[in-house]
Amino acid sequence: STEHFATLVNYSTRRATSQLVLRIHLPLKRRQSPSEEIMDIRMQVSTPEDTILAKLRWAQLSGGSERQFGDALRVYEVQFEKLDGDYLDNWTKVLNIESIWKRLQDEAIII
């Protein structure tokens, strides 16, 4: 079985310290966004669908992390019209996260 996790990098500037998710490792490997340059570093950026799936999986594996769930919910709400719903439905079954996926859909506020 493939592990499901994200690689986090901490970076600091004079103004702030933040974490950046560099890559989400899921067995699905959906399309990756074209590489982007962030802070003079070229990197691949995860699609909104894969970010949602990873966050929901983390929430489930951690026993119900509201932070991870909230992150997934916000991505879902902001990207709703652009999301591939069939892809998300399929992979929530594969990853066995259907109940938390349903909760996300029920709680989402789509404007």
Side-chain angles (χ1 to χ4, degrees):
S1 141
T2 304
E3 290 294 315
H4 308 276
F5 61 92
T7 303
L8 295 177
V9 173
N10 291 315
Y11 64 92
S12 297
T13 65
R14 287 183 214 159
R15 296 185 184 135
T17 298
S18 299
Q19 284 188 331
L20 177 66
V21 177
L22 288 182
R23 174 163 250 183
I24 296 172
H25 301 278
L26 291 172
L28 38 135
K29 285 297 188 190
R30 185 172 164 63
R31 62 183 186 247
Q32 290 286 326
S33 299
S35 63
E36 296 183 22
E37 193 167 308
I38 301 172
M39 296 180 62
D40 296 326
I41 301 170
R42 183 151 300 282
M43 61 185 73
Q44 295 292 107
V45 179
S46 178
T47 63
E49 291 90 347
D50 289 344
T51 300
I52 290 167
L53 292 168
K55 291 285 189 175
L56 291 178
R57 183 74 173 140
W58 295 338
Q60 180 174 288
L61 289 173
S62 66
S65 169
E66 287 301 312
R67 178 176 182 172
Q68 299 301 327
F69 179 81
D71 289 350
L73 179 63
R74 297 304 165 261
V75 172
Y76 181 82
E77 290 172 335
V78 170
Q79 297 291 330
F80 178 76
E81 291 187 17
K82 298 176 186 175
L83 295 173
D84 183 341
D86 291 337
Y87 176 83
L88 285 163
D89 288 338
N90 177 60
W91 280 102
T92 56
K93 291 174 187 158
V94 171
L95 297 171
N96 196 28
I97 55 173
E98 294 169 283
S99 62
I100 199 167
W101 169 236
K102 179 166 180 3
R103 177 184 163 208
L104 181 140
Q105 291 174 302
D106 290 346
E107 291 185 21
I109 299 171
I110 308 302
I111 299 174

